[in-house]
Amino acid sequence: MTDRILVAPSILSADFSRLGEEVASLSSLGADWVHLDVMDGHFVPNITFGAPVVRAVRSASKLVFDAHLMVAEPAKWVHEFADAGADVITVHREADAHVHRTLQLIRSLGKKAGVALNPATPECEVEYLLDDADMVLIMSVNPGFGGQKFITSALRKIEAVRNMALRRGTKLDIQVDGGVNPQTAALCRDAGANVLVAGSAVFGAADRARAIAEIRG
Ligand code: DX5
Ligand code: ZN
């Protein structure tokens, strides 16, 4: 975990017809990570892109590639995303009956392992995973689409997971994803999140660099 606040723009809201350029621009806009939303039309009601697209844009940026797998049975796909150049691979607790094993698999490939919780999933679901996870992703919208409204109960969950990590003395990245803008970002930072994902608030902004700076706070 870093003590800095990190901003991870989600390319879900980028112009897909110019994806390479959009990814390439993020470093000079001040972003820290590139957030890659992978959806399979099964775990979530939308389809985006898979490992070949991640591989194709990998050379466009030196930033950390943060793959958020919103797919059923994510263990099946971990190798492919690792090979494609993801640095952080996050899987959903709800999508995987053996998520503990999947986190170990991700780490065995030399990648950082993240576990994500949907808005309805309580924080106790990660309690016995903390030794094997580098990051917990708290969803602040129901996954599937960009541009949704921030669900405020995510703040309590961020706080609870941060306290869990502090009690254990674990260095844990806590990421928040969904409806993050300069206003909600401030609440998330106060609650203990240190990695802020934002799609529409960055790519929809007239001044993207400013949006990133304001989200960082
Ligand atoms: C939602 C995705 C998010 C999404 C965020 O399923 O996981 O990363 O792109 O988009 P905004 O920031 O527009 O809510
Ligand atoms: Zn995401």
Side-chain angles (χ1 to χ4, degrees):
M1 180 200 158
T2 56
D3 294 327
R4 279 184 61 223
I5 298 291
L6 304 177
V7 181
S10 163
I11 61 163
L12 187 59
S13 297
D15 178 351
F16 278 17
S17 71
R18 303 171 37 251
L19 198 52
E21 291 163 52
E22 294 275 69
V23 169
S25 71
L26 289 174
S27 156
S28 58
L29 293 173
D32 301 285
W33 292 7
V34 179
H35 186 80
L36 304 148
D37 284 309
V38 177
M39 304 186 187
D40 68 349
H42 185 58
F43 177 63
V44 289
N46 198 5
I47 298 177
T48 54
F49 51 81
V53 171
V54 175
R55 187 186 302 279
V57 295
R58 177 63 275 195
S59 59
S61 175
K62 290 194 167 59
L63 295 181
V64 167
F65 266 32
D66 172 34
H68 176 194
L69 305 189
M70 287 162 277
V71 305
E73 298 186 67
K76 286 185 181 168
W77 303 101
V78 160
H79 280 99
E80 261 198 62
F81 284 94
D83 272 5
D87 302 296
V88 183
I89 300 178
T90 297
V91 297
H92 269 261
R93 169 68 193 98
E94 306 83 4
D96 192 343
H98 302 290
V99 72
H100 184 270
R101 181 191 289 150
T102 307
L103 295 174
Q104 291 185 325
L105 169 65
I106 295 169
R107 279 187 166 176
S108 76
L109 299 172
K111 309 298 181 180
K112 293 222 158 130
V115 57
L117 298 180
N118 279 338
T121 308
E123 63 272 10
C124 59
E125 290 281 334
V126 296
E127 187 165 1
Y128 295 100
L129 298 172
L130 292 187
D131 287 342
D132 297 277
D134 301 291
M135 182 168 84
V136 172
L137 164 50
I138 309 291
M139 290 303 302
S140 41
V141 297
N142 286 291
F145 305 93
Q148 302 181 78
K149 191 172 175 287
F150 185 86
I151 296 170
T152 51
S153 61
L155 295 170
R156 264 191 291 137
K157 207 188 294 183
I158 292 169
E159 231 172 84
V161 174
R162 180 54 76 206
N163 287 332
M164 221 185 261
L166 286 172
R167 273 199 305 275
R168 297 169 55 90
T170 310
K171 286 208 159 191
L172 182 73
D173 282 318
I174 300 183
Q175 184 175 55
V176 58
D177 182 7
V180 173
N181 56 39
Q183 289 72 44
T184 54
L187 306 173
C188 295
R189 294 192 307 267
D190 288 349
N194 68 308
V195 187
L196 308 174
V197 176
S200 47
V202 169
F203 287 98
D207 184 341
R208 293 176 177 181
R210 183 172 171 183
I212 289 170
E214 287 178 355
I215 289 165
R216 179 175 288 109

